[in-house]
C-alpha cells in the first residue's frame, strides 16, 4: 500500500495490515485520495449506515405489507400455489444487479425507485414462505376452529397466522439479509449507502472500501441474528414444544418447498 | 493501488437510437459479440463454484449424518458464510487472495455450502426407516446402505439443493467483476443507464440460470427414473 502524501497515519490496528487501516478508517477521518474532502470516521460511516438502513427498512416494510396478507389469503383459500411457490424460483433467477440496472435504465434513479426495486427483490421469499406455512397448518386444526364457530377471518388471524409465524419469519430473514446486501449497490442508482465507498473507490480509497465491506458484512450478520431472535420470541410456546423433538435442522426453513 | 471500475463508453453518441437511450435491436445485433466471452466466463464461475461447493458440502453432510453433533457447528459456520453478502466477501478476500477468478470462486463456494449441506442432510434424514431396515436385512454394510439405498433415495432433495445453489450463484456471479473475475455483471456495469445493454446482459444472466436449472432437472430425471414411475401411476 502506498501511504505517501497522506500525512501521519494513526494506525492503532497496524498489526492487522490492510484490515487495520480499514478499521482505522471507520473510526478516524481521512483526507480523500481525490483531494479536498474528509472521508471516513464514525460520523461519515453513521450517515452511510443510516441511509442504508432507511432504504432497507422501507423496502422490507412495504414487501411485508404486500406479501404477508397475500400469502395468508392465498394459503387460506388454497389457491394460487403455483404463483406463490414459483415466485421465489423466478426471483432467484433474476440477479439483483440486473434488477437494479433494469430500474436505473427504465424507471430512473433515486430513493423511491430503488425502494421499489428492493421491494420486488424482497417479496418472493416472504410470499412463498407465508403460503407454504399456511398450507402446512394441519387441516384438523382448521376444522376444529371452524367447528368452534370461527369465521374465515378469525381462523386466519387466530389459528393460521400464529402457527405460520416461524416460517413467515424465515422468509423475512432471507429477504432482509438479501435487501441489506443489495442496498450495497444502491449508489449505482444514486442513493448513497454503505456501498458508496465500494463503488466510488476514488473518493474513499482502498481502506475505505475495505472498511465498508467489513461494516456491510457485520450488518448482514447482525440482521440475520437479531431477526432469528425475534423469530424465536414470536414462535408460539405450544409450537416450540411440539416441534422441539422433530426439528432436526436448526436453520429456519424446514420444508424443501419453502424458499432457501 | 486504487483499482478503477471505470464506466467505459459503449454507445455511439451520434446514432439517434443509442443517444436517445432507446431499445436498439440494431445495436444489439452489431454488438452481441461483446457478451459472448463474459457469458461463458459467467457460466465457468457458476459451474466451478457449485461443483467445488457440492464436493465440500456433500462430504460434510455425509460425515454429519453419522456424527450428528457436527450438524449444529457446521450449520452455524456455513450459515455465517451464507449471510455475509458476496459483494462484501469479494472485498474482504482481496487483500488475502488478490484480484481474479480465485477470489470470486472462494466467495461463491462459501455461499453455496449451507444450501447444499442442508438439502443433502434433509434428503438423507427423509429416507424411510423401513427401507433402511430392509437393506440391513439383506445384509448390506453401513457403507453399502449409504451408497446403494440412502444416497439414491435422497437424490431428489440433493438435486433440489443443487438447483437452488446454481440459480443463486448465477445471480451472485454478476457481482464477481468487483473481484476482477469479469462475467456478465461487468457488461451490465459498463453502461448501467443504457437500456439495450442492461436488457441483453441481464437477460443473458437469466437465460444462463434457466439453462443450468433445466440441465440439472434433466440429469435428475435421468438418474431417478423411479420417481417418474410413481408419479405416472
Amino acid at each position: 500500500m502506498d501511504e505517501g502524501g497522506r500525512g501521519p497515519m494513526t494506525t492503532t490496528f497496524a498489526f492487522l495490515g490492510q484490515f487495520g487501516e480499514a478499521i482505522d478508517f471507520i473510526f478516524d477521518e481521512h483526507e480523500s485520495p481525490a483531494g479536498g474532502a474528509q472521508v471516513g470516521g464514525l460520523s461519515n460511516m453513521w450517515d452511510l449506515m443510516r441511509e442504508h438502513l432507511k432504504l432497507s427498512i422501507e423496502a422490507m416494510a412495504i414487501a411485508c405489507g404486500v406479501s404477508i396478507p397475500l400469502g395468508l389469503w392465498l394459503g387460506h383459500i388454497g389457491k394460487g400455489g403455483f404463483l406463490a411457490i414459483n415466485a421465489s424460483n423466478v426471483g432467484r433467477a433474476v440477479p439483483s444487479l440486473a434488477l437494479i440496472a433494469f430500474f436505473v435504465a427504465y424507471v430512473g434513479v433515486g430513493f423511491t425507485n430503488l425502494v421499489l426495486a428492493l421491494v420486488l427483490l424482497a417479496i418472493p421469499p416472504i410470499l412463498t414462505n407465508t403460503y407454504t406455512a399456511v398450507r402446512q397448518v394441519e387441516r384438523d386444526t382448521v376444522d376444529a376452529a371452524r367447528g368452534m364457530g370461527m369465521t374465515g377471518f378469525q381462523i386466519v388471524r387466530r389459528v393460521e397466522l400464529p402457527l405460520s409465524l416461524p416460517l413467515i419469519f424465515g422468509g423475512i430473514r432471507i429477504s432482509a439479509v438479501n435487501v441489506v446486501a443489495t442496498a450495497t449497490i444502491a449508489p449505482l442508482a444514486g442513493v448513497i449507502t454503505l456501498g458508496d465507498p465500494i463503488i466510488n473507490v476514488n473518493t474513499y480509497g482502498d481502506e475505505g472500501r475495505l472498511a465498508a465491506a467489513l461494516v456491510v458484512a457485520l450488518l448482514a450478520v447482525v440482521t440475520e441474528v437479531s431477526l432469528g431472535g425475534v423469530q424465536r420470541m414470536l414462535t408460539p410456546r405450544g409450537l416450540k414444544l411440539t416441534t422441539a423433538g422433530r426439528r432436526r435442522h436448526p436453520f429456519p426453513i424446514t420444508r424443501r418447498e419453502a424458499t432457501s | 493501488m486504487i483499482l478503477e471500475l471505470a464506466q467505459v463508453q459503449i454507445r455511439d453518441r451520434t446514432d439517434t437510437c443509442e443517444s436517445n437511450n432507446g431499445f436498439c435491436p440494431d445495436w444489439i445485433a452489431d454488438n452481441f459479440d461483446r457478451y459472448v466471452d463474459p457469458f461463458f466466463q459467467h457460466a465457468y464461475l457458476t459451474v466451478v463454484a457449485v461443483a467445488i461447493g457440492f464436493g465440500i458440502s456433500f462430504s460434510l453432510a455425509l460425515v454429519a449424518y453419522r456424527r450428528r453433533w457436527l450438524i449444529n457447528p457446521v450449520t452455524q459456520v456455513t450459515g455465517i458464510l451464507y449471510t455475509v453478502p458476496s459483494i462484501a466477501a469479494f472485498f474482504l478476500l482481496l487483500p488475502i487472495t488478490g484480484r481474479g477468478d480465485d477470489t470470486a470462486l472462494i466467495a461463491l463456494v462459501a455461499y453455496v455450502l449451507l444450501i447444499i449441506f442442508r438439502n443433502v442432510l434433509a434428503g438423507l434424514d427423509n429416507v424411510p426407516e423401513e427401507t433402511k431396515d430392509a437393506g440391513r436385512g439383506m445384509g448390506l454394510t453401513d457403507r453399502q446402505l449409504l451408497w446403494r439405498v440412502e444416497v439414491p433415495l435422497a437424490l431428489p432433495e440433493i438435486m433440489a439443493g443443487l438447483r437452488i445453489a446454481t440459480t443463486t450463484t448465477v445471480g451472485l456471479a454478476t457481482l464477481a467483476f468487483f473481484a476482477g473475475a469479469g462475467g456478465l455483471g461487468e457488461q451490465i456495469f459498463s453502461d448501467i443507464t443504457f437500456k439495450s445493454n442492461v436488457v441483453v446482459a441481464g437477460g443473458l444472466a437469466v437465460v444462463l440460470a434457466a439453462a443450468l436449472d433445466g440441465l440439472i432437472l434433466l440429469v435428475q430425471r435421468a438418474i431417478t427414473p423411479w420417481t417418474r414411475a410413481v408419479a405416472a401411476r
Side-chain angles (χ1 to χ4, degrees), chain A residues 167-223:
Chain A
L167 205 48
I168 294 178
F169 248 81
I172 294 178
R173 272 167 86 175
I174 294 167
S175 284
V177 172
N178 200 4
V179 164
V180 165
T182 307
T184 310
I185 52 174
L188 293 178
V191 179
I192 306 305
T193 62
L194 281 170
D196 202 36
I198 290 178
I199 310 280
N200 297 318
V201 68
N202 292 341
T203 312
Y204 293 87
D206 272 346
E207 63 271 34
R209 178 154 71 179
L210 194 54
L214 276 171
V215 176
V216 166
L218 208 63
L219 187 63
V221 172
V222 168
T223 305

Side-chain angles (χ1 to χ4, degrees), chain B residues 5-173:
Chain B
L5 286 169
Q7 308 225 350
V8 284
Q9 192 54 253
I10 61 174
R11 270 188 263 184
D12 177 4
R13 290 290 181 188
T14 55
D15 183 290
T16 26
C17 177
E18 292 160 42
S19 55
N20 290 343
N21 191 15
F23 179 75
C24 320
D26 288 346
W27 182 90
I28 294 170
D30 290 345
N31 289 272
F32 201 74
D33 289 358
R34 72 171 79 235
Y35 299 99
V36 175
D37 284 349
F39 178 84
F40 285 110
Q41 167 71 4
H42 206 107
Y44 164 81
L45 289 175
T46 307
V47 171
V48 172
V50 172
I52 297 175
F54 181 78
I56 296 173
S57 44
F58 185 74
S59 319
L60 279 174
L62 289 189
V63 175
Y65 180 54
R66 297 283 183 229
R67 297 172 183 76
R68 303 206 67 89
W69 58 270
L70 274 169
I71 294 176
N72 265 317
V74 172
T75 309
Q76 270 151 16
V77 172
T78 54
I80 290 173
L81 294 177
Y82 177 83
T83 306
V84 171
S86 45
I87 186 169
F90 292 142
F91 287 112
L92 294 178
L93 283 170
L94 276 182
I96 304 163
T97 52
R99 278 169 70 81
D101 288 3
D102 291 350
T103 303
L105 286 173
I106 293 170
L108 294 175
V109 166
Y111 192 83
V112 300
L113 292 178
L114 176 73
I115 302 173
I116 301 174
F117 176 79
R118 204 171 51 195
N119 273 52
V120 174
L121 209 56
L124 292 173
D125 282 342
N126 283 347
V127 175
E129 205 56 47
E130 304 82 53
T131 319
K132 288 189 255 180
D133 282 345
R136 285 195 198 95
M138 288 170 68
L140 297 184
T141 63
D142 275 357
R143 178 181 291 263
Q144 286 172 324
L145 191 72
L146 181 69
W147 290 105
R148 297 194 196 168
V149 178
E150 293 172 302
V151 169
L153 287 180
L155 276 176
E157 272 102 337
I158 296 175
M159 299 304 272
L162 214 50
R163 290 173 64 192
I164 295 172
T166 306
T167 39
T168 313
T169 305
V170 171
L172 294 178

Side-chain angles (χ1 to χ4, degrees), chain A residues 77-96:
Chain A
I77 61 173
K79 286 185 183 142
F82 183 79
L83 170 95
I85 287 175
N86 280 295
S88 60
N89 290 332
V90 175
R92 210 170 15 237
V94 180
S96 47

